Amino acid sequence: MVGYYNYTVWMTYLSLLIGGLGVFLTLTGNPLGGVICLGVSGCLDLFDGKIARLKKDRTIEEKQYGIQIDSLTDLICFGVLPVAIGYAVGMKEMYFIPLFCFYILAGMIRLAYFNVREMNRDIDEKSVFYGVPITTAAMIIPFIWLLRCFLKEKFFILYAIILGLLMFLFLFKIKIKKPTVKISIIFSTILIIIFITLLILELTLCKG
């Protein structure tokens, strides 16, 4: 069999499966399920690299494989899935289509640029990103989803603005420090709180 299957890649594989499930749920009428899958994939992405680095005897090929599958997974989970969510909630007019397409394109460019730098950069640059990571969508989109039942149709405008802003930030060349384990745990905790709030809203104020 081609590929690698040790514990260093399990979390990335799981993230992709959950992201794929999110796309399926979203396009079959359950965008909330897609939003939750988006956040879960984001949590997994925070820790997959840290787990992979625990294996001290990884070969260069294993490291490069990990970089590639991580970016391919990110494109599905944080590039395609947010677009599917927007389409599923009613953003089906033709003028939204260019935004969706360019959002995915910007995400792909950001990920490809990351891959090249990751394989060639100096040790001193290992702790920073260039450009806002595409995984930022996993935190922002669940958060703005909290406003959906209050904004009603105006939510489309907010969602379009957020996608446009993220698209720009993916390509804006700024240095951002990689999150530490502590920061990753804090982000994951915030997402869990957001998910609980989402479910409460969906079952009460947003019901029907």
Side-chain angles (χ1 to χ4, degrees):
M1 294 176 66
V2 301
Y4 294 93
Y5 302 93
N6 57 53
Y7 72 89
T8 64
V9 297
W10 291 348
M11 193 165 285
T12 305
Y13 289 163
L14 180 59
S15 179
L16 176 62
L17 291 174
I18 292 174
L21 174 63
V23 173
F24 174 78
L25 290 174
T26 298
L27 296 182
T28 53
N30 185 8
L32 175 61
V35 172
I36 292 175
C37 287
L38 175 67
V40 173
S41 291
C43 289
L44 294 173
D45 184 80
L46 285 170
F47 297 100
D48 60 357
K50 296 174 177 60
I51 290 175
R53 286 189 288 274
L54 294 176
K55 191 174 187 291
K56 301 302 182 183
D57 59 344
R58 278 194 303 164
T59 65
I60 293 176
E61 191 175 77
E62 285 178 317
K63 291 178 182 179
Q64 293 179 342
Y65 179 82
I67 292 170
Q68 298 303 323
I69 63 168
D70 185 68
S71 288
L72 291 169
T73 295
D74 288 352
L75 185 59
I76 299 298
C77 297
F78 315 115
V80 175
L81 179 52
V83 166
I85 292 169
Y87 187 81
V89 296
M91 298 171 68
K92 299 180 180 180
E93 289 80 2
M94 288 301 297
Y95 50 78
F96 287 124
I97 304 303
L99 171 65
F100 291 157
C101 291
F102 280 107
Y103 173 83
I104 296 174
L105 175 62
M108 185 272 289
I109 293 171
R110 166 69 182 77
L111 291 166
Y113 184 77
F114 168 81
N115 284 6
V116 173
R117 292 199 62 89
E118 188 72 11
M119 291 187 289
N120 296 287
R121 64 185 175 174
D122 298 329
I123 295 176
D124 292 340
E125 294 183 309
K126 289 291 185 181
S127 61
V128 297
F129 290 116
Y130 281 87
V132 171
I134 191 174
T135 51
T136 305
M139 175 65 72
I140 294 179
I141 290 177
F143 178 75
I144 66 168
W145 191 264
L146 293 170
L147 304 175
R148 186 179 66 91
C149 65
F150 303 107
L151 294 177
K152 305 297 183 183
E153 291 80 7
K154 293 180 180 178
F155 178 75
F156 297 166
I157 299 173
L158 175 62
Y159 200 87
I161 291 172
I162 291 299
L163 288 188
L165 180 61
L166 285 174
M167 178 176 65
F168 171 76
L169 292 175
F170 293 161
L171 304 179
F172 192 65
K173 195 172 183 180
I174 55 175
K175 284 186 178 182
I176 298 177
K177 290 189 66 174
K178 286 188 175 182
T180 62
V181 174
K182 182 178 180 180
I183 295 298
S184 297
I185 293 173
I186 291 173
F187 282 166
S188 298
T189 303
I190 292 173
L191 276 171
I192 291 171
I193 293 172
I194 290 175
F195 292 155
I196 293 172
T197 306
L198 280 174
L199 291 174
I200 293 173
L201 285 174
E202 289 291 329
L203 293 173
T204 56
L205 295 178
C206 299
K207 188 175 182 179

